[in-house]
Amino acid sequence: MSAVTTTGEPAPPPARRLLAVVLLVPVVVALALWVFAWPAARIAPQELPVGVAGQASAATQLEQALANRGDAFEVHRYEDEAAAAEAVREREVYGAVVATPRGPELLTASAASPVVAQLLQQAVQGQLPEGTEARVTDVVPAPAGDPRGAALGASVMPMAMAGVAAGALVTLAGLRGGRAAGALLGASALVGLTAAGLAHSWLGALTGDWWAEAGALGLAALAGGATVAGLSALLGRAGLGLGAALIVLLGNAFSGMSSAPEMLPQPVGALGQLLPPGAGASLLRSVAFFDGAGAAVPALTLTAWAVLGLLATVLGRPSRRARTAAAGGERPEPRAVPAG
C-alpha cells in the first residue's frame, strides 16, 4: 500500500529515505573534510605582502631573494626603516626586511599573524650565511595574554555559531518584520559586549579600544545572524541550512584567522574575506592591535551582509506557520496517510 501526504503528493518510500540518509552522511563528511582539511594541508604564502627597505644595492639583493621564491611574496619597496615600520603598523605589509650596515633587520607584526612572523624569520634566515642571525624587531607584538594567537584564532567558530543561533532562533520563533530585526540587533549587541568582556577583560587576548572591539564582534554576529534569518525568510527551511553552511562551514574554514588569508590556497583566502567570519576576523585584528588600520574593507563587507540580511528578514515571505498564526488558526503539518 502506497502512502500519500495530506496535500495529495506521494510520500517517499521508507527504503528510499533510508538510502538517502546513508548516502548523504558520507557526502557531508567528505565536504567538511575538504573545506577544513584541504586548506590546512596547503598552507603556504600566496603573494604575501612584505616590504624591503634600506640602501638601494643591498635592498635590491633582498628583493631579488624574495622574488626568487615564486609567487610566495608580494614585495613592496620603502625608502628606509621608518617607512617600512609605518607600513607594518598600517597593515600594508606583514613584515619588512631592512638592509642596514650591520646586516639585514627583520620587522614583523606577530599581532597580525604569529604564523607569518615565524615564516618571515625562517625565510630571511635562510638567505644569510651560516652562523649569522638577522636582528628581529616585533613592531606590533601579540598580546602577552595570547602570544601565539590561539585564543584569537579560536574565537571565529563561537562568533559564527552565535550568528547562526541568533538567525535560527528568530526564524523558529516566528518573529517577523521589525520584531525580527530588533531581535537580531539586540542579540548581536549583547554578543559583542559579552565577547569583548571575555576576550579583552578576562583572557587579555585583545588590547585595543574595548568599545571598538565590542562593536566589531557585534557587527560580525549581526552579519551572520541576519544572513541566516534572511535566507530563511526567502527560502524557508532550506535557507536555514544554507545559511548555517555558509557561515559555519565555509566561512569558518576559509577565514584565515589562525594564519592569514594569504596563507590559504587561492581563491579560498580571498573568498573567505568576503564571508562574515573572515571579514569579522580581519576587522577584529585591526581594531584590537592596529588602531583601526585596514578596518574599512572588512567593516563595509560585514555591513553589506547585515543590511541585506535584515532587508530580506523584514521583507521576505513569512513561513506558512507564521501566516497561519496571523490568520488566527493553526493547521496541522502534512503527514503521510494510507491511500485508498
Side-chain angles (χ1 to χ4, degrees):
M1 179 182 297
S2 61
V4 296
T5 65
T6 55
T7 59
E9 299 177 355
R16 186 181 301 175
R17 282 177 282 174
L18 174 63
L19 180 61
V21 171
V22 170
L23 295 178
L24 182 61
V25 170
V27 170
V28 172
V29 171
L31 177 61
L33 284 174
W34 173 78
V35 167
F36 283 94
W38 173 64
R42 297 292 185 269
I43 285 183
Q46 305 284 331
E47 297 186 355
L48 187 77
V50 297
V52 169
Q55 184 184 14
S57 58
T60 299
Q61 293 179 0
L62 292 172
E63 184 176 359
Q64 185 60 44
L66 292 173
N68 289 338
R69 298 182 64 125
D71 296 332
F73 299 108
E74 178 186 280
V75 182
H76 299 254
R77 191 72 171 265
Y78 298 99
E79 183 178 355
D80 52 26
E81 181 177 351
E86 183 64 19
V88 174
R89 295 188 189 95
E90 293 295 320
R91 301 203 72 185
E92 296 176 10
V93 292
Y94 281 91
V97 188
V98 183
T100 71
R102 302 179 300 275
E105 178 181 1
L106 175 62
L107 307 178
T108 63
S110 57
S113 172
V115 173
V116 171
Q118 184 178 11
L119 170 73
L120 292 177
Q121 291 184 45
Q122 295 172 350
V124 172
Q125 191 63 41
Q127 304 299 322
L128 299 179
E130 187 175 352
T132 305
E133 291 190 8
R135 294 183 301 113
V136 179
T137 300
D138 200 344
V139 178
V140 187
D146 188 27
R148 291 181 295 275
L152 193 64
S155 67
V156 176
M157 176 66 86
M159 295 308 301
M161 293 178 64
V164 171
L169 289 173
V170 164
T171 300
L172 297 176
L175 297 179
R176 299 163 49 193
R179 290 183 178 180
L184 290 170
L185 289 167
S188 299
L190 291 177
V191 165
L193 295 173
T194 303
L198 292 173
H200 183 119
S201 305
W202 179 43
L203 296 175
L206 306 177
T207 58
D209 180 81
W210 195 95
W211 290 103
E213 294 164 357
L217 290 163
L219 181 58
L222 177 61
T227 298
V228 172
L231 288 172
S232 300
L234 296 175
L235 304 176
R237 292 182 180 179
L240 189 62
L242 176 61
L246 187 67
I247 302 300
V248 175
L249 194 62
L250 294 180
N252 180 58
F254 295 169
S255 69
M257 187 62 160
S258 60
S259 54
E262 294 85 358
M263 294 290 290
L264 299 179
Q266 295 303 326
V268 165
L271 175 62
Q273 295 305 294
L274 298 177
L275 297 174
S282 294
L283 178 61
L284 185 58
R285 278 196 191 278
S286 291
V287 300
F289 308 125
F290 294 89
D291 294 326
V297 172
L300 288 174
T301 301
L302 291 174
T303 301
W305 280 101
V307 170
L308 292 175
L310 289 173
L311 286 175
T313 301
V314 172
L315 303 177
R317 186 176 178 219
S319 66
R320 179 173 59 187
R321 177 175 295 181
R323 294 197 306 270
T324 303
E330 191 70 43
R331 291 183 184 176
E333 292 291 330
R335 58 185 179 85
V337 296

